[in-house]
Amino acid sequence: MSTTGKVIRCRAAIVWKPGGSFSIEEVEVAPPKAKEVRVKMVATALCGTEMKMLKTKNLQHQYYPIIMGHEGAGIVESVGEGVSTVKAGDKVIALFLPQCGECTSCLNSAGNFCIKFKQRETHLMSDGTSRFTCKGKPVYHFANTSTFSEYTVMNEISVTKIDAAAPLEKVFLVSCGFSTGYGGAINTAKVTPGSTCAVFGLGGVGLSVIMGCKAAGAARIIAVDINKDKFEKAKEVGATECINPQDYEKPIQEVLFDLTGDGVDFSFEVIGNPETVAAALASCHESHGVCVIIGLVTGVQLNISGHLFFSGRTLKGSVYGGWKGRDGASKLVSDYMAKKINLDALITHTLNFDKINEAVELMKTGKWQCPLCPVTLSMMLTN
């Protein structure tokens, strides 16, 4: 029986208040309006962004209840009026970073921060309303996507059609984690052949940075983390050596200078810790070192000595690895299908959707890179 134009009842993971845990609830998902698509989610991941939101009890906004999730892939169930780039039955990647194709960022070859990204700040759709209700109450959207629901509604510019043969339980990683890390090395830092790189933080995104550095031809890739259990996987995807800051009495930037002689050519902060950002920048070569912030650093001030920039170091930000949302996701899925990139190594465990709170606890242990929750919904742990 067709569900087009009808309200769909399904399960979603709702957070009812700041600092709360996920609650699996039955929700009503309204049909898509103009320029919107309704998608049946197949795979999604728990990312560091959600982990930070769950830990924060005093958020600046009060957008609750809310359905989180911003990394996922699914199949289009129906489309609203005026949608022309996807149709029912298409496999799609959900994009927290949309690509409208019309704003100054989208039209600039060097930009990718689409102005429509700011719509996420309202946690509602373009018309100022929600497509979700639960127990008679409207439920807020998250990051233009809300992938922690069996069905979700997104703007057309927040999805991109992919190869019909692509395995969604693998390629959904290009929705955020893999693209962010891999592109941070390839696009933002522009790692050069023969260079030396340092990667701070070895979650799923950090491992993707390592893969990007390796693909760019880096000769030496130093992985940095306080969890030695992550070292084996880091070396598997391309790290040449791994170090734990807790094994040394001196600051990690001094350790890296000792190891390299003059500092690293490229460093990547993939944790979102202001102190680590300062250390990563200080680890760079004085004259030409480039440090890229990939971890989510918001709501804090960076305390960095201006002296670090005097001789030529560069500090850069990066969102979605510098890829334009729709174009980048499509390209990376095509590269996966052509066996140019390997996403399989980033998926360590799979959980059912109703185990999402178990995924949160496992994420906290640092034992998983990302948790994936399959078919009804997949959950992959990335941090």
Side-chain angles (χ1 to χ4, degrees), residues 275-290:
E275 294 181 0
T276 314
V277 171
L281 177 63
S283 302
C284 289
H285 194 288
E286 291 179 304
S287 70
H288 60 261
V290 176

Side-chain angles (χ1 to χ4, degrees), residues 263-307:
V264 300
D265 300 305
F266 302 94
S267 68
F268 302 87
E269 204 284 348
V270 203
I271 301 169
N273 184 315
E275 294 181 0
T276 314
V277 171
L281 177 63
S283 302
C284 289
H285 194 288
E286 291 179 304
S287 70
H288 60 261
V290 176
C291 175
V292 179
I293 302 176
I294 295 177
L296 183 64
V297 184
T298 58
V300 295
Q301 294 292 319
L302 295 178
N303 185 15
I304 297 175
S305 171
H307 179 72

Side-chain angles (χ1 to χ4, degrees), residues 27 69 86 125 137 150 173-174 185 197 215 263 265 268 283 331 338 376:
V27 298
V86 296
M125 299 302 288
K137 296 181 178 181
E150 291 176 319
L173 278 172
V174 309
C197 303
D265 300 305
F268 302 87
S283 302
K331 178 192 182 307
T376 335

